[in-house]
Amino acid sequence: MTKDARALVVEDELPVRDLLRLHLELAGFEVEESGDGREALRRLRESAYNLVILDVMLPGLDGVSLCRAIRTGGPNLSTPILMLTARDTESDKVLGLESGADDYLTKPFGIRELIARVNAITRRHARDDDPAPARKRTSAANVQLDPEPRGGLRSSAVARPRAAWPRVPGRRGWWERDRCGGPACRSR
C-alpha cells in the first residue's frame, strides 16, 4: 500500500482504535480516527478515503446507518468498507453486508486476519477501478463467461496413436493381450 492511501477508522473504543491505527500505519495507510458516527459522516462527506473501518455500535449514528449514508453518494461512494463489530449473529452480518459493507469481521479479531481482509478488499477495489478496456462478456442466469483465453491442453498432454507407441521386442502391448489374464492365457 502506498503511503498516500488514507483510511478512516470509526470506532468508539479508544484501545481498539489505537490498535487499528498502529497496524494500518504499518500496512502503509495514513490513518484518521473518529469515535462518533455523526463526526465520521461529516468527514466522509468532506474528503475521500481508500478504506473505511466501521464499528456498528457507535454514539451519534450507528454503523449500519452510516454505511447506508456513505453508499448514497459523495466522495466515498465506492470506498471499501470493513465492518468490525462485536455483533456476531448471522442476521447482523447479513444486515451489515446488505447495508453496503464489503466485508464483516467480528470482535474479538486477530490482527493478521484483519490486515489480510484489508489487503483483499483494497486489492478487489483496485482491480474494479482498473481502467483497462472492458472485454465483452456473455452472461446468462447469474453466470458470466469471460472470452479471454486461460490456456488449454499442452502439446505434451495430447495422446499419441498406438502406432506411435514404442514397441518392446518379445512383449505385446496391453491392447494386444488376451482377455482372460489367467494362467492358461499366459502359457500360450
Side-chain angles (χ1 to χ4, degrees):
M1 194 60 42
T2 61
K3 193 60 179 171
D4 59 336
R6 296 177 62 215
L8 177 64
V9 175
V10 186
E11 170 65 59
D12 59 334
E13 297 177 37
L14 185 60
V16 176
R17 236 181 17 230
D18 289 341
L19 180 71
L20 291 171
R21 180 182 37 75
L22 171 70
H23 288 282
L24 288 172
E25 285 175 348
L26 289 173
F29 284 91
E30 178 186 319
V31 180
E32 293 183 27
E33 304 171 24
S34 176
D36 179 74
R38 293 202 189 284
E39 178 194 345
L41 182 59
R42 181 188 54 76
R43 286 183 180 197
L44 287 160
R45 288 187 173 154
E46 291 174 357
S47 60
Y49 293 91
N50 301 95
L51 173 70
V52 176
I53 296 183
L54 185 60
D55 190 6
V56 172
M57 297 178 285
L58 294 166
L61 184 65
D62 69 282
V64 173
S65 300
L66 178 56
C67 188
R68 286 184 179 137
I70 294 168
R71 295 300 187 218
T72 58
N76 295 292
L77 180 66
S78 64
T79 299
I81 299 173
L82 171 66
M83 284 199 166
L84 180 66
T85 181
R87 307 213 37 186
D88 63 353
T89 65
E90 180 184 10
S91 59
D92 289 324
K93 294 175 186 178
V94 170
L95 179 63
L97 294 169
E98 286 180 346
S99 69
D102 295 288
D103 204 352
Y104 194 102
L105 185 60
T106 58
K107 296 175 188 174
F109 60 93
I111 287 296
R112 291 178 62 204
E113 180 183 8
L114 172 85
I115 296 301
R117 287 176 183 264
V118 163
N119 289 335
I121 63 174
T122 54
R123 185 174 53 245
R124 281 193 305 263
H125 183 262
R127 190 171 44 229
D128 290 345
D129 286 349
D130 187 13
R135 295 175 184 91
K136 185 175 179 184
R137 294 182 178 190
T138 305
S139 63
N142 295 334
V143 176
Q144 287 189 348
L145 302 176
D146 190 354
E148 184 175 316
R150 301 278 186 231
L153 290 176
R154 294 185 311 257
S155 60
S156 63
V158 177
R160 296 182 295 178
R162 281 189 203 155
W165 291 358
R167 292 268 182 194
V168 177
R171 277 185 82 185
R172 296 187 298 181
W174 62 267
W175 62 92
E176 298 173 324
R177 291 192 181 130
D178 294 326
R179 294 196 185 270
C180 71
C185 294
R186 290 191 193 125
S187 64
R188 286 190 225 167

